Each structure stands twice: as structure tokens, then as C-alpha cells.
Amino acid sequence: MRRLLRRRPALGMALLSGVSTAVGIVIVLAIDWFPAQASTAAPQIDTLWDVLMIASVPVFVLVMSVALYSVFAFRAQPGDLSDGEPIHGNTRLEVIWVTIPFIMVSALAVYGWIVLDDIEAKQTDPLIVNVTGQQFAWRFDYPDEGEVKSTQLVLPKDRDVEFRVNTDDVLHDFWVPEFRLKTDAVPGLTTKIRLKPSRIGEYDVVCAELCGIGHSTMRSGVRVVTPEDFDAWIAEEQQSETDGGAAAAGGDEAAAGKQLFTETGCNACHTLADAESASAIGPGLDELAADAEKYGEQNEQSPEEYVKTAIEDPDAFLVPDFNAGVMPPDYAEQLSPEELDTLVKYLLSVSGQEKP
Ligand code: CUA
């Protein structure tokens, strides 16, 4: 067998490549690479992926077969210390191995462009959703639905959506694996993706760009619901926004404070039982009243002053075991003085509560 293969190396390689390619293609197609398809772009992208895989397997197999086959068939005999025969190139082979990859890559590029062009096509009357990334949370608002703001993304099924993605600080990347599309959130730019949710369900919004210490926790949810449920949700959110404003004006400061805490994204980094947040990137706030007393005293501040300073100028005083430069320093600009006040009062009033 070995002598035959040595005499007819091309035959041996072709045989090995053919079998391995068939096995390889069966394996890559059997692997479940992606989660559920929840947007109309998903089937197109998955097909593109399969085609890419089918095209890649023969190339990989061919290269590996030639390498492995050569190691096996052209191994030096024991005691053979002579040099190999000199090789002066082979024009026919070179033309083939330039032309075939050129055709393959060009065809894949054209196919990829056609799919991309189709996915990015302009829609008529899309639902606009502004997406804002911030260390380490996502915020969503619906400018055409009465300025509804939310930390949960809710979308109606079968309606075109245009996401306009921004960031408050560093690079993030807005990604819902089930929708297949993602885009960077770039400081100073608005990036867009258009898609149409096609499957009712709850999925994750993931940050796909390393953005700091809390990157891996920068997740949020997306709910795809029926158009009726979406309208009901919008109405409910509009109502609660009015209620929140009225609550702040009318005295229910705790509700307004809790809303500020989640809307501003504090919950992404701080544990607070009352707001059902449990992240440990920043200091926990369940003992804040006692801590503010203790640390405030060290800095000759009242507890209120201490908490206010900690929000406005986070690096002014560092709680032991926590580092400078982690908490965004721009909350004084994001929040009005009244909101800041509400938040400080809320935090001091709810800390010390029983953990749920
Ligand atoms: Cu934001 Cu990673």
C-alpha cells in the first residue's frame, strides 16, 4: 500500500481528502452553531454561515491532507542522510492554486454582499429604538412612543425595528444572539441596525465588546411580544412615567428614587435589596446608611453630603477594596440637582433593609 501511494501520491491524497471532506461537512452541518432564529435576518445569516463552512472544509482538509500525507509517505528511510531532489516550481499547479481560491473568495464576497445589502435595506415606517450603552448597563428609549424609557427592551413581533445605538462612555457592542445582528456603540457616533423580530420569546441583550471590569455582567433582556402586548406595555410605561413624575412631585419619593436607581443604571454595578439588584462591581448599598455615617465622619461630611459626593465625584473617596476609575464620573451631568437629591434620600432611606 505504502509503495503504491508513493508511486501515485496524488491518488492517495485525493482519496484521503475526499473522505475527510465528506466527514468534515457532515460534522459542521450537524453542529448547532447558533441559538433560536428570532429575526427575519437569522435564516439568511445561518445559510450564509453554512455555505461558508461547506466552502472552508475542503480547503482545510486539502491543506492538512497534503501535509499529513507528505509526512507519512515521504518520510526518510532509516539511514538515508542524502538531500531531497531540487524542485523548480510547477506553473500549472501555481495557476490552479491561485485561480481556484480567487474564484471561491470572490464568489463568497459577492454572496455576502447580497445578503448584507438585503438585511440593511431601508424599511418603511420602522419602530425607532434608541439604545444607549454605559458602563455597565443598557438603556432603551422609544422616541416615537411618547419618550418611553426602559432598561428592558420590548419589541413587537413582525414589525421592522431600527436601533440607533449610542454610548455614554467607552466602546460597547449591542448584540442579541437570537437576532444575529450586532453593532458597536461608538463614542460620538450613532450606529444603526435594522431588523424584524420574527419569534415571540425572551432573549438576552449582550455587550460584545470588552468595556471594563463589568463587561461580562453588561446584560439586559429583550422580550418579543405580540403587537397587542406591545401597545399595552407602551401604555403602561407611559402611565408609570407620568406616575413617577407625579410621585416625585407629590411626595412618593421612594418610588421615584427606585426608578432613578434603575433608569440611571446604578443597579448594573451595585447591590441593593430594595431595587432587587445584586451586582458586586461597585460597593454594596444595603449598609449605606451605616457606611455613610462612618465614612462621612472620616471626611467631615454629613451622610447626605457623603452619598452626594460619592455619586458626583466617585473617586473623591474610595471605599476599601474598590478602585478608582470604575464608576462613570458624569452622573452630575446626567442627573438634575432634584434627581440627585431624590436618589440620595432614597438610598439612605432603603439601606439597612432585610435582604429578600
Ligand atoms: Cu459594555 Cu462590554
Side-chain angles (χ1 to χ4, degrees):
M1 182 69 180
R2 198 168 141 198
R3 203 166 304 146
L4 172 76
L5 292 181
R6 247 182 106 127
R7 254 186 290 126
R8 305 286 311 276
L11 175 75
M13 283 183 224
L15 215 67
L16 193 60
S17 298
V19 173
S20 312
T21 301
V23 172
I25 288 178
V26 169
I27 293 173
V28 292
L29 292 182
I31 294 173
D32 209 3
W33 296 97
F34 299 114
Q37 299 178 330
S39 83
T40 52
Q44 277 170 287
I45 291 172
D46 292 1
T47 306
L48 175 66
W49 172 263
D50 284 345
V51 170
L52 218 56
M53 279 288 143
I54 291 169
S56 310
V57 168
V59 176
F60 176 77
V61 165
L62 183 72
V63 171
M64 293 316 287
S65 311
V66 172
L68 290 175
Y69 178 86
S70 304
V71 166
F72 176 71
F74 302 109
R75 202 168 26 163
Q77 298 301 316
D80 178 5
L81 296 175
S82 63
D83 284 339
E85 282 171 42
I87 295 169
H88 297 290
N90 182 325
T91 310
R92 194 157 45 139
L93 197 60
E94 282 162 21
V95 168
I96 291 172
W97 81 37
V98 169
T99 313
I100 293 179
F102 176 77
I103 293 170
M104 279 178 75
V105 171
S106 305
L108 286 173
V110 169
Y111 175 32
W113 183 81
I114 291 170
V115 172
L116 184 68
D117 191 56
D118 197 34
I119 289 168
E120 291 189 334
K122 265 229 175 325
Q123 311 146 332
T124 50
D125 188 32
L127 171 71
I128 308 285
V129 181
N130 294 324
V131 178
T132 310
Q134 140 191 24
Q135 288 171 319
F136 299 99
W138 294 105
R139 298 196 310 275
F140 308 98
D141 64 89
Y142 299 73
D144 298 338
E145 315 289 327
E147 299 288 331
V148 164
K149 290 190 179 73
S150 172
T151 49
Q152 256 265 326
L153 180 58
V154 178
L155 299 171
K157 182 174 175 275
D158 295 331
R159 169 145 183 218
D160 290 317
V161 185
E162 181 173 303
F163 294 101
R164 299 185 177 166
V165 183
N166 287 288
T167 168
D168 278 350
D169 37 48
V170 299
L171 271 180
H172 301 278
D173 192 300
F174 174 70
W175 183 33
V176 178
E178 283 79 0
F179 292 161
R180 299 293 187 275
L181 297 168
K182 59 162 123 163
T183 188
D184 271 4
V186 185
L189 275 186
T190 299
T191 50
K192 288 180 189 171
I193 34 179
R194 305 190 178 101
L195 57 85
K196 191 193 270 188
S198 59
R199 186 174 183 271
I200 303 252
E202 288 189 30
Y203 314 109
D204 280 340
V205 176
V206 181
C207 177
E209 180 75 56
L210 186 60
C211 55
I213 192 168
H215 160 70
S216 63
T217 64
M218 189 166 165
R219 283 172 173 251
S220 177
V222 48
R223 270 195 301 135
V224 178
V225 298
T226 61
E228 298 74 39
D229 288 350
F230 179 74
D231 291 341
W233 177 79
I234 285 285
E236 207 175 286
E237 287 295 306
Q238 285 168 341
Q239 188 59 39
S240 93
E241 223 123 291
T242 332
D243 289 353
D252 191 358
E253 294 243 358
K258 190 197 259 189
Q259 192 172 347
L260 274 173
F261 185 79
T262 42
E263 267 179 10
T264 316
C266 312
N267 57 341
C269 296
H270 297 280
T271 297
L272 184 66
D274 187 65
E276 287 160 30
S277 64
S279 176
I281 293 162
L285 302 178
D286 281 324
E287 311 297 331
L288 183 67
D291 287 347
E293 189 94 30
K294 182 171 80 182
Y295 298 132
E297 214 158 88
Q298 289 176 20
N299 296 291
E300 295 174 1
Q301 290 172 318
S302 70
E304 286 77 16
E305 282 168 344
Y306 167 79
V307 177
K308 189 159 177 277
T309 313
I311 298 172
E312 288 182 327
D313 186 6
D315 296 342
F317 172 81
L318 294 171
V319 173
D321 300 330
F322 290 92
N323 297 321
V326 176
M327 177 157 157
D330 62 344
Y331 286 116
E333 291 136 49
Q334 278 194 45
L335 299 167
S336 69
E338 294 76 34
E339 287 174 324
L340 198 56
D341 212 40
T342 307
L343 192 56
V344 170
K345 280 193 193 138
Y346 165 72
L347 288 173
L348 285 170
S349 70
V350 294
S351 60
Q353 285 185 354
E354 289 284 305
K355 291 194 176 97

Short mmCIF file of all heavy atoms in Angstrom, two decimals, residues 133-138 169-173 206-212 214-216 218, ligand 1:
data_model
loop_
_atom_site.label_atom_id
_atom_site.label_comp_id
_atom_site.label_asym_id
_atom_site.label_seq_id
_atom_site.Cartn_x
_atom_site.Cartn_y
_atom_site.Cartn_z
N GLY A 133 -25.50 52.55 25.53
CA GLY A 133 -24.64 51.73 26.36
C GLY A 133 -23.92 52.60 27.36
O GLY A 133 -23.63 53.76 27.09
N GLN A 134 -23.68 52.05 28.52
CA GLN A 134 -22.95 52.79 29.56
C GLN A 134 -22.33 51.74 30.45
O GLN A 134 -22.89 50.66 30.59
CB GLN A 134 -23.96 53.67 30.30
CG GLN A 134 -23.76 53.73 31.77
CD GLN A 134 -24.93 54.39 32.49
OE1 GLN A 134 -26.06 54.43 32.02
NE2 GLN A 134 -24.65 54.88 33.65
N GLN A 135 -21.17 52.01 31.00
CA GLN A 135 -20.58 51.03 31.91
C GLN A 135 -21.49 50.84 33.12
O GLN A 135 -21.64 51.77 33.89
CB GLN A 135 -19.21 51.52 32.38
CG GLN A 135 -18.14 51.44 31.27
CD GLN A 135 -16.87 52.13 31.70
OE1 GLN A 135 -16.91 53.20 32.32
NE2 GLN A 135 -15.74 51.55 31.39
N PHE A 136 -22.18 49.78 33.36
CA PHE A 136 -22.23 48.55 32.61
C PHE A 136 -23.68 48.15 32.46
O PHE A 136 -24.14 47.21 33.09
CB PHE A 136 -21.45 47.45 33.35
CG PHE A 136 -19.97 47.84 33.50
CD1 PHE A 136 -19.49 48.37 34.68
CD2 PHE A 136 -19.11 47.73 32.41
CE1 PHE A 136 -18.15 48.76 34.79
CE2 PHE A 136 -17.78 48.10 32.52
CZ PHE A 136 -17.29 48.62 33.70
N ALA A 137 -24.40 48.94 31.69
CA ALA A 137 -25.84 48.69 31.54
C ALA A 137 -26.31 49.22 30.18
O ALA A 137 -25.64 50.04 29.56
CB ALA A 137 -26.62 49.38 32.66
N TRP A 138 -27.45 48.72 29.76
CA TRP A 138 -28.09 49.21 28.54
C TRP A 138 -29.35 49.98 28.91
O TRP A 138 -30.07 49.60 29.82
CB TRP A 138 -28.50 48.03 27.64
CG TRP A 138 -27.37 47.25 27.08
CD1 TRP A 138 -26.95 46.01 27.49
CD2 TRP A 138 -26.49 47.64 26.03
NE1 TRP A 138 -25.88 45.62 26.74
CE2 TRP A 138 -25.57 46.59 25.83
CE3 TRP A 138 -26.39 48.77 25.20
CZ2 TRP A 138 -24.56 46.63 24.87
CZ3 TRP A 138 -25.39 48.81 24.26
CH2 TRP A 138 -24.50 47.76 24.09
N ASP A 169 -20.06 56.42 27.32
CA ASP A 169 -18.65 56.45 27.75
C ASP A 169 -17.75 55.77 26.72
O ASP A 169 -17.31 56.40 25.78
CB ASP A 169 -18.50 55.84 29.15
CG ASP A 169 -19.41 54.64 29.39
OD1 ASP A 169 -19.44 53.77 28.52
OD2 ASP A 169 -20.07 54.58 30.44
N VAL A 170 -17.48 54.49 26.89
CA VAL A 170 -16.49 53.81 26.05
C VAL A 170 -17.19 52.98 24.98
O VAL A 170 -18.41 53.00 24.86
CB VAL A 170 -15.58 52.90 26.91
CG1 VAL A 170 -14.83 53.72 27.94
CG2 VAL A 170 -16.41 51.81 27.59
N LEU A 171 -16.42 52.24 24.20
CA LEU A 171 -16.97 51.33 23.19
C LEU A 171 -17.73 50.19 23.87
O LEU A 171 -17.23 49.56 24.79
CB LEU A 171 -15.84 50.68 22.39
CG LEU A 171 -15.28 51.33 21.13
CD1 LEU A 171 -14.19 50.44 20.58
CD2 LEU A 171 -16.35 51.56 20.09
N HIS A 172 -18.95 49.95 23.39
CA HIS A 172 -19.68 48.74 23.76
C HIS A 172 -20.13 48.10 22.45
O HIS A 172 -19.88 48.65 21.37
CB HIS A 172 -20.90 49.08 24.62
CG HIS A 172 -20.57 49.79 25.89
ND1 HIS A 172 -20.16 49.14 27.03
CD2 HIS A 172 -20.58 51.11 26.21
CE1 HIS A 172 -19.93 50.02 27.99
NE2 HIS A 172 -20.18 51.24 27.51
N ASP A 173 -20.82 46.98 22.54
CA ASP A 173 -21.34 46.37 21.33
C ASP A 173 -22.69 45.73 21.61
O ASP A 173 -22.81 44.84 22.44
CB ASP A 173 -20.35 45.32 20.80
CG ASP A 173 -20.70 44.88 19.39
OD1 ASP A 173 -21.81 44.34 19.19
OD2 ASP A 173 -19.87 45.06 18.50
N VAL A 206 -26.62 41.38 24.91
CA VAL A 206 -25.28 41.13 25.41
C VAL A 206 -24.36 42.26 24.95
O VAL A 206 -24.53 42.78 23.85
CB VAL A 206 -24.75 39.78 24.86
CG1 VAL A 206 -23.37 39.48 25.39
CG2 VAL A 206 -25.71 38.66 25.16
N CYS A 207 -23.40 42.62 25.79
CA CYS A 207 -22.36 43.53 25.31
C CYS A 207 -21.22 42.66 24.76
O CYS A 207 -20.70 41.81 25.46
CB CYS A 207 -21.84 44.42 26.44
SG CYS A 207 -20.50 45.51 25.89
N ALA A 208 -20.87 42.90 23.50
CA ALA A 208 -19.89 42.04 22.85
C ALA A 208 -18.57 42.76 22.61
O ALA A 208 -17.85 42.48 21.66
CB ALA A 208 -20.45 41.51 21.53
N GLU A 209 -18.27 43.74 23.45
CA GLU A 209 -17.00 44.46 23.30
C GLU A 209 -16.45 44.68 24.70
O GLU A 209 -17.15 45.23 25.56
CB GLU A 209 -17.28 45.82 22.62
CG GLU A 209 -16.06 46.67 22.40
CD GLU A 209 -15.22 46.17 21.24
OE1 GLU A 209 -15.75 46.04 20.14
OE2 GLU A 209 -14.04 45.90 21.47
N LEU A 210 -15.22 44.23 24.93
CA LEU A 210 -14.63 44.38 26.26
C LEU A 210 -14.62 45.86 26.64
O LEU A 210 -14.00 46.67 25.97
CB LEU A 210 -13.20 43.82 26.26
CG LEU A 210 -12.52 43.79 27.63
CD1 LEU A 210 -13.30 42.92 28.61
CD2 LEU A 210 -11.10 43.30 27.51
N CYS A 211 -15.36 46.20 27.72
CA CYS A 211 -15.56 47.62 28.00
C CYS A 211 -15.19 47.99 29.43
O CYS A 211 -15.46 49.09 29.88
CB CYS A 211 -17.02 48.00 27.72
SG CYS A 211 -18.20 46.99 28.62
N GLY A 212 -14.57 47.06 30.15
CA GLY A 212 -14.18 47.39 31.52
C GLY A 212 -14.48 46.24 32.44
O GLY A 212 -14.87 45.15 32.01
N GLY A 214 -16.84 45.46 34.41
CA GLY A 214 -18.16 44.84 34.49
C GLY A 214 -18.69 44.35 33.15
O GLY A 214 -19.87 44.06 33.02
N HIS A 215 -17.79 44.24 32.15
CA HIS A 215 -18.22 43.85 30.80
C HIS A 215 -19.08 42.59 30.79
O HIS A 215 -20.12 42.54 30.14
CB HIS A 215 -16.98 43.68 29.92
CG HIS A 215 -17.19 42.86 28.70
ND1 HIS A 215 -17.95 43.31 27.65
CD2 HIS A 215 -16.78 41.62 28.37
CE1 HIS A 215 -17.98 42.36 26.71
NE2 HIS A 215 -17.28 41.34 27.13
N SER A 216 -18.63 41.57 31.54
CA SER A 216 -19.34 40.29 31.47
C SER A 216 -20.72 40.36 32.10
O SER A 216 -21.56 39.50 31.86
CB SER A 216 -18.51 39.19 32.13
OG SER A 216 -18.35 39.50 33.50
N MET A 218 -22.65 43.00 31.68
CA MET A 218 -23.43 44.01 30.95
C MET A 218 -24.46 43.33 30.06
O MET A 218 -24.29 43.20 28.85
CB MET A 218 -22.49 44.90 30.12
CG MET A 218 -23.19 46.10 29.52
SD MET A 218 -22.02 47.28 28.92
CE MET A 218 -23.10 48.30 27.91
CU1 CUA B 1 -20.13 47.09 27.55
CU2 CUA B 1 -18.71 45.22 27.32
#
